[in-house]
Amino acid sequence: QVQLVESGGGVVQPGRSLRLSCIASGFTFSSYPMHWVRQAPGKGLEWVAGMWSDGRGIYHADSVRGRFTISRDNAKSTLYLQMNSLRGEDTAVYYCAREPPNGDLKCDAWGQGTLVTVSP
Amino acid sequence: QSVLTQPPSLSAAPGQMVTISCSGSSSNIGKSYVSWYQQIPGTAPKLLIYENNKRPSGIPVRFSASKSGTSATLGITGLQTGDEADYYCGTWDSVLSVGLFGGGTKLTVL
């Protein structure tokens, strides 16, 4: 069955870096666009970044552009989110999500999420 | 404040019907498909509706949706206590090239 498993979250000081990973299984990872979506404590969903299946389309939200970078390794069926210059407002559960092609953010599979806490 | 506007909360009695609105603009809802997600607190979001009005397999027919111009609507009939959740609309903004979610609507079934 389709499975997405995030890892790499934890507690980090402001200004430091963290890299999240999302390992996919149960489907042909290289055929699907993938996204990172986050949810701050008690808040709604916020799209963070997306990447097309071939890696040529890469998009980031204004709130993270220049600090976060999405990438993927199709040979390893793994999606990454490199997070630099972390701020308190980046504290959130980070989900990776799969989007069938031509989906317009139609995310049909989600991981369980990994918590990132940015605190002194 | 989200670019896609949803009512923050709604409540209705079991068995009744409720509609949740999602208002956007010509660059997002006006140009792209809309999806709807259900999120039970403490769990990952679940796709409820895709391509404006289609249900993934396993989603009951009680859930329906539509889109008109720059707005979309999710409808739930025959409300059950298990429908208590947060509901989000989502789409792609083709001008800004970013993904968008509505602010979410907390549905209470009392």
Side-chain angles (χ1 to χ4, degrees), chain A residues 26-32 72 77 98:
Chain A
F27 65 100
T28 304
F29 178 76
S30 59
S31 297
Y32 286 80
R72 63 192 294 161
S77 296
R98 178 186 87 163

Side-chain angles (χ1 to χ4, degrees), chain A residues 39 44 47 104-107 111, chain B residues 33 37 39 44-45 50 88 91 99:
Chain A
Q39 187 168 36
W47 177 84
D104 288 342
L105 205 61
K106 172 183 76 177
C107 295
Chain B
Y33 288 125
Y37 300 88
Q39 187 181 33
Y50 68 97
Y88 297 89
T91 191

Side-chain angles (χ1 to χ4, degrees), chain A residues 35 37 39 43-47 50 52 59-62 65 95 99 102-108 110-113, chain B residues 31-35 37 39 42-47 50-51 86 88 90-92 96-103:
Chain A
H35 298 271
V37 177
Q39 187 168 36
K43 303 296 184 182
L45 302 176
E46 180 188 12
W47 177 84
W52 285 184
Y59 307 95
H60 297 86
D62 286 348
R65 191 172 294 122
Y95 297 100
E99 177 188 321
N102 303 316
D104 288 342
L105 205 61
K106 172 183 76 177
C107 295
D108 68 346
W110 297 68
Q112 84 288 350
Chain B
K31 279 191 168 65
S32 304
Y33 288 125
V34 176
S35 299
Y37 300 88
Q39 187 181 33
T43 69
K46 173 184 174 182
L47 181 65
Y50 68 97
E51 292 178 8
D86 297 315
Y88 297 89
T91 191
W92 185 258
L96 300 176
S97 293
V98 295
L100 298 171
F101 287 101

Side-chain angles (χ1 to χ4, degrees), chain B residues 2-101:
Chain B
S2 302
V3 173
L4 303 182
T5 302
Q6 297 181 232
S9 63
L10 288 171
S11 63
Q16 290 193 327
M17 182 190 78
V18 67
T19 59
I20 299 173
S21 60
C22 175
S23 178
S25 70
S26 58
S27 65
N28 43 69
I29 292 180
K31 279 191 168 65
S32 304
Y33 288 125
V34 176
S35 299
W36 288 91
Y37 300 88
Q38 178 192 61
Q39 187 181 33
I40 307 292
T43 69
K46 173 184 174 182
L47 181 65
L48 211 55
I49 297 286
Y50 68 97
E51 292 178 8
N52 302 334
N53 55 18
K54 298 177 182 175
R55 283 176 290 104
S57 61
I59 301 300
V61 296
R62 301 187 298 106
F63 294 90
S64 63
S66 62
K67 186 185 102 167
S68 178
T70 59
S71 293
T73 302
L74 172 70
I76 312 173
T77 59
L79 276 172
Q80 302 175 0
T81 55
D83 297 332
E84 275 206 350
D86 297 315
Y87 292 85
Y88 297 89
C89 57
T91 191
W92 185 258
D93 191 300
S94 58
V95 171
L96 300 176
S97 293
V98 295
L100 298 171
F101 287 101

